[in-house]
């Protein structure tokens, strides 16, 4: 009897969390639609094919980082080092290309470097038992410092023309950054939704102790998750390097905040276990569309930050009130 | 473990305090006797504490100061801080010991240098800051580039090249910084209220190359008819240039700072111009002002130094 009651409770709870999750999902989508419709009405330049491509291309940089951040936050962690990984891996790739390495090799080395830096975060957190906030705060500083050492604080230029295709090129008239974002999104969506690893990520975030007791190697899951975050930050960095035709020592500063904002706007819970990657894409779009709209409307620099912060607050409040 | 850490921390703290004490007392003990020796000679002695000799900008500044001192028959003592605040403070203390007549300080850090300025104030030696200001102590004058005039030069050059009319875009630096404010102010002095000239967009891109590109992309979505862009620094100008090239447009771009990348872009004909500071003139002005102060003349609290426009050679 007791047992049955417990089961019913659990089922009811599960149902509740599902409906909660759906509401949360609606919240961010509603926010995006409201901003979208408003901007279309106010500015005649907003809803055009060329501007939509433009916005998506700009969003791709933040979205890629935010995808990785979604995995990290789902496990109940946080990764503050993404901006520094972004800078260091793109500086490494650019430095190699500037000294004559084939762009393909340089890109691969850059991506691998990102994954290795991410794995280092994961090892510190999983094996060293350092809190994610502290571990990645420390590596954020270390990686940024290494970037300054490597670049001597100067931009790296003189990159080969073939490298430009990576971030500046088009595939079927679609800008390459958008293509990379969509490919990454598709792969990560499948991993999160349909793989054992994806289920482990959710399980780890909901209840780490129980996950460990059920025989899952939680350390390995953590190291993997931070590696994914590092890899995506590196990919994002190399795309931007290609678009700018140069690597900057100061690139990616405070990008972690935009990425975290996108994840949270998308309805993923900072305490882990709950969320989805589609929401992150929506969150990144809200931030990107807002930036674009403020530029199009020529809003004064003093008001821009107030508007941006305000919209984020409203979106999150909408989420919270709906999820009650 | 814990105890050990605590002990280590406590002892290092104690050591630090001891070091602090010893420099202080040395300074006060030595000051009077040295002063008497130096007062005998008539030659004006100027001390210059330079932030670093590792950056061509400051080397040129020092050369300008040395030349001006030589021309005036004054002696210039240069101490190099090697970008280290602690070293700079002891360097200034050394100059105080030497009883120089005026101290020129080019701070490595505006906040940290206040200690050194106060030490000079205590010894009654006038202080002039160069390039970077000090956030504490009494400073007779501050000498630095005239950012307002630089912005105006950029605006004037754009109007001259465009034949006095066109649609302009301004990319602003970080909101609230003095460089962004002054450069923007000068630019608007040059272009505002002119017939046929319209600033169609004024948007912040935070002195950042990536943001310069993104913001320019967005502006181009809304405005097809743009003739020139003025960016508050070269990083944003180079970012905007990428956006303009990707859009296949021909738009005149003027930046600020004359960084290596930007000067290269100017010489390749990609950027129209960049505004450069004149470090030698800053050094010269600093020494000339120091001489005036020594003679007891009144000097302005801020002395702006002109900039120059770098265009294709």
């Amino acid at each position: 009897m007791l047992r049955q009651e417990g089961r019913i409770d659990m089922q009811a709870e599960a149902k509740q969390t599902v409906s909660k999750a759906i509401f949360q999902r609606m919240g961010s989508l509603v926010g995006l639609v409201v901003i979208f419709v408003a901007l279309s009405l106010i500015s005649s330049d907003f809803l055009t094919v060329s501007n939509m491509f433009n916005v998506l291309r700009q969003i791709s940089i933040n979205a890629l980082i935010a995808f990785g951040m979604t995995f990290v936050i789902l496990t109940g962690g946080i990764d503050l080092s993404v901006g520094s990984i972004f800078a260091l891996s793109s500086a490494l790739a650019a430095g190699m290309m500037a000294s004559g390495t084939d762009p393909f090799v340089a890109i691969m080395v850059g991506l691998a470097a990102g994954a290795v830096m991410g794995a280092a975060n994961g090892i510190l957190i999983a094996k060293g038992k350092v809190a994610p906030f502290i571990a990645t705060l420390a590596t954020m500083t270390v990686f940024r410092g290494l970037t300054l050492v490597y670049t001597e604080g100067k931009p790296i230029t003189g990159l080969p023309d073939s490298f430009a295709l990576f971030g500046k090129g088009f595939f079927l008239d679609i800008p390459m950054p958008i293509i990379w974002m969509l490919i990454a999104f598709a792969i990560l969506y499948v991993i999160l939704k349909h793989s054992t690893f994806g289920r482990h990520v959710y399980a780890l975030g909901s209840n780490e102790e129980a996950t460990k007791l059920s025989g899952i190697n939680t350390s390995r899951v953590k190291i993997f998750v931070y590696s994914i975050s590092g890899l995506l930050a590196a990919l994002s960095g190399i795309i931007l390097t290609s678009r700018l035709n140069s690597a900057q020592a100061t690139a990616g500063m405070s990008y972690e905040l935009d990425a975290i904002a996108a994840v949270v706007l998308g309805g993923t819970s900072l305490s882990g276990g709950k969320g989805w990657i589609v929401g992150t894409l929506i969150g990144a779009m809200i931030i990107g569309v807002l930036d674009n709209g403020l530029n199009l409307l020529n809003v004064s620099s003093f008001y821009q930050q107030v508007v941006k912060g305000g919209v984020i607050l409203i979106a999150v409040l909408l989420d919270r009130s709906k999820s009650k | 473990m814990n105890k050990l850490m605590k002990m280590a921390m406590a002892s290092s703290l104690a050591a630090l305090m001891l070091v602090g004490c010893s420099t202080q007392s040395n300074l006060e003990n030595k000051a009077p006797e040295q002063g008497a020796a130096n007062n005998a000679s008539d030659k004006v002695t100027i001390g210059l504490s330079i932030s670093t000799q590792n950056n061509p900008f400051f080397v040129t500044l020092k050369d300008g100061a040395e030349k001006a001192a030589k021309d005036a028959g004054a002696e210039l003592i240069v101490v190099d801080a090697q970008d280290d605040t602690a070293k700079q403070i002891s360097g200034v203390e050394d100059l105080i010991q030497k009883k120089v007549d005026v101290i020129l300080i080019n701070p490595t850090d505006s906040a940290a240098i206040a200690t050194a300025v106060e030490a000079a104030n205590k010894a009654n030696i006038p202080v002039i800051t160069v390039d970077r200001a000090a956030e504490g102590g009494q400073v007779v004058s501050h000498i630095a580039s005239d950012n307002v005039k630089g912005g105006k030069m950029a605006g004037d050059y754009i109007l001259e090249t465009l034949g006095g009319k066109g649609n302009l875009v301004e990319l602003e630096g970080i909101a609230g910084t003095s460089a962004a404010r002054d450069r923007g102010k000068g630019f608007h002095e040059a272009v505002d209220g002119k017939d046929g000239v319209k600033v169609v967009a004024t948007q912040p891109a935070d002195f950042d190359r990536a943001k310069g590109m993104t913001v320019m992309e967005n502006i181009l979505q809304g405005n097809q008819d743009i003739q020139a862009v003025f960016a508050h620094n070269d990083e944003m100008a180079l970012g905007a240039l990428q956006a303009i090239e990707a859009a296949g447009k021909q738009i005149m771009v003027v930046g600020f700072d004359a960084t290596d990348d930007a000067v290269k872009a100017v010489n390749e004909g990609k950027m129209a111009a960049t505004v450069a500071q004149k470090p030698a003139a800053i050094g010269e002005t600093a020494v000339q002002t120091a001489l005036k102060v020594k003679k007891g003349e009144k000097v302005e609290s801020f002395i702006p130094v002109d900039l120059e426009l770098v265009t294709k050679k």
Side-chain angles (χ1 to χ4, degrees), chain A residues 45 50-51 54 57-58 155 157 168 240 243-246 248 255 291-292 294-296 298-299 301-302 304, chain B residues 172 175-176 199-204 208-210 213-215 217-219 221-223 235 239 242 261 264:
Chain A
D45 304 309
S50 82
N51 192 45
N54 173 49
R57 185 170 55 192
Q58 293 177 359
T157 49
K168 278 194 205 170
L240 189 68
R243 296 207 59 211
L244 284 172
N245 206 15
S246 75
Q248 249 75 25
Y255 279 22
D291 273 334
N292 174 256
L294 290 170
N295 283 154
L296 288 182
N298 200 18
V299 175
S301 55
F302 302 122
Q304 287 203 3
Chain B
E172 302 173 292
V199 181
V200 291
T202 294
Q203 286 292 293
D208 181 72
R209 199 183 290 203
M213 177 177 70
T214 319
V215 171
E217 281 168 357
N218 290 340
I219 291 171
Q221 291 298 328
N223 302 280
E235 284 296 303
Q242 291 298 334
D261 275 9
K264 205 173 129 210

